[in-house]
Every structure is written in C-alpha cells, then in structure tokens.
Amino acid sequence: MDTQALEERFPEADDEILSEAVSRYGPPLLRYCHHILCDYHEAQDAVQITFCKAYTRRARFRRGSNLSAWLYRLAYTTCIDLLRRRKRQLFSPPAAPVSNPDYIGPQLRAALLTLSPQERALVFGRVMEERSYEELSQMLGHSAATLRKRYERARHKLARALTEQEESL
C-alpha cells in the first residue's frame, strides 16, 4: 500500500491499516524515541503508546494530512510525558511504605549535594512544582531575572555532576 492510500484510509483504520502503519513507521519512530529518551526499553514503550494513541484518535486525523508528521508529533508528546513521569519519580517517595524514608536515589542525592540549598530549592520549585519565576521571586526574595539566571547555572551544575557520576561508573 502506498503512503497516500494509507493516509486516506487511516481514519477508518482496521487491523490491516494499523498493521501497515506500525510496520512502516514503527522502526523510525523507535529510533526517534530512543534518541529523545536515551533508553531503548522506554522508547519501545513510547512507540507502543504512540500507536495506541494514534488508533484511539484516528478519527481526528485529517485525510490528506501527513500521517508520518502526525505520528511523530504523537511520539514527541509521548516521550515528553514519559520524561516528566521519570522526573517526578526521581523526587517522589515510593508508593509503598518502606523502613527508610530516604527516597532520593544515591546518584541524585550526590548530584543535588553539589548545589547550595538555595539552588536546590530553586531547582525543586521550577522542576517539580513547576512554579513560575514570579512565584519563586516572592518565595525566595530575589527578582525573577536573578532567579532565571541562577536556575540556568544550577541546572548546568546539576547536569555536570550527573554526567561526572555516570562517567565514573
């Protein structure tokens, strides 16, 4: 089946059409997701979720549109959602009660300890609580512009610390 026919028939997708879309776009989407997520197994999950979303939202696909671009957009948003979930899991306590209340992993803890307490508060406020610089300005007593610059510095410092840890393993 050619690309145009696939795009025309996709909104009424049956198993045959979905199978054709998966075989045609699955491998390139897997490479794309793998480069975004940097985790092969998570990329496989992302592609599977992408095709599930595509199937359930197939009626929203406009005939004559570019199916590849639509699937890549779904894959991108899926990857971003998975990255957000991964980020929240780094800072979230475990679901089941454990005897050790220390729920930050050792690598993240070591990297966070390279930051000052104010930098950690700023990173946590921006990343986990998704607060605006204006809100953080009111909380931390510095201008939004100052906090924006400090956040960028703290983010780079944290990334450098995590990279150094990875390289030492």
Side-chain angles (χ1 to χ4, degrees):
M1 175 179 308
D2 70 343
T3 303
Q4 187 175 9
L6 182 61
E7 290 172 352
E8 285 296 317
R9 294 182 56 198
F10 191 78
E12 297 90 29
D14 56 13
D15 290 344
E16 176 190 342
I17 299 298
L18 184 62
S19 178
E20 177 69 25
V22 169
S23 66
R24 181 174 298 184
Y25 298 112
L29 282 174
L30 180 59
R31 282 191 302 278
Y32 178 71
C33 292
H34 187 213
H35 281 87
I36 293 172
L37 297 168
C38 298
D39 181 294
Y40 185 75
H41 299 290
E42 203 169 21
Q44 288 176 317
D45 293 343
V47 171
Q48 185 175 10
I49 293 167
T50 297
F51 281 111
C52 289
K53 284 180 181 178
Y55 187 76
T56 58
R57 299 176 185 176
R58 66 189 180 277
R60 295 182 194 170
F61 178 73
R62 289 177 284 147
R63 281 193 168 86
S65 296
N66 186 332
L67 180 60
S68 174
W70 188 68
L71 290 171
Y72 271 83
R73 180 66 185 166
L74 286 174
Y76 174 77
T77 58
T78 300
C79 288
I80 296 302
D81 289 344
L82 290 172
L83 287 170
R84 285 183 182 137
R85 188 175 308 135
R86 183 193 303 170
K87 179 174 52 177
R88 286 188 184 106
Q89 288 173 347
L90 282 174
F91 288 99
S92 298
V98 293
S99 60
N100 183 1
D102 189 14
Y103 56 86
I104 295 176
Q107 289 93 0
L108 181 58
R109 174 176 297 288
L112 285 170
L113 289 174
T114 65
L115 303 178
S116 71
Q118 186 177 29
E119 289 171 326
R120 287 194 300 267
L122 182 58
V123 168
F124 185 81
R126 281 294 293 162
V127 175
M128 295 307 299
E129 295 179 342
E130 298 178 349
R131 294 187 184 271
S132 69
Y133 287 110
E134 289 72 28
E135 289 176 297
L136 291 168
S137 173
Q138 293 172 353
M139 291 169 53
L140 301 174
H142 296 284
S143 72
T146 299
L147 293 177
R148 188 173 290 112
K149 188 65 178 173
R150 286 183 181 175
Y151 172 73
E152 286 303 314
R153 287 183 189 141
R155 193 170 61 97
H156 290 295
K157 197 176 184 181
L158 186 60
R160 196 170 38 252
L162 288 168
T163 302
E164 288 170 2
Q165 283 182 11
E166 245 181 52
E167 290 172 354
S168 68
L169 295 177

